[in-house]
């Protein structure tokens, strides 16, 4: 993933676009799903297996 792709994806989420980010009953973006997507975008940008493994271990602990 390039920096430009990362910025585009994060801006899309920041705008509250609910498409593919889950929606509540009112059609609002699901914040939990949006945060998970943002995490995934950042991990894809970092593209480092050790970082990804550590991050996922933190996720699993919740």
């Amino acid at each position: 993933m390039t920096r430009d792709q990362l910025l585009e994806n994060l801006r899309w989420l920041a705008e509250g676009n609910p498409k593919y980010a889950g929606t509540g009953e009112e059609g609002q973006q699901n914040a939990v799903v949006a945060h998970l997507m943002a995490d995934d975008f950042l991990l894809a940008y970092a593209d480092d297996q050790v970082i990804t493994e550590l991050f996922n271990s933190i996720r699993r602990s919740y």
Side-chain angles (χ1 to χ4, degrees), residues 19-39:
K19 186 176 179 185
Y20 303 118
T23 57
E25 290 180 23
E26 299 84 30
Q28 298 294 314
Q29 184 183 58
N30 183 316
V32 173
V33 175
H35 286 183
L36 290 172
M37 289 181 72
D39 293 345

Side-chain angles (χ1 to χ4, degrees), residues 14-15 18 22 28 40-42 44 46:
E15 291 170 359
Q28 298 294 314
D40 288 341
F41 290 145
L42 290 170

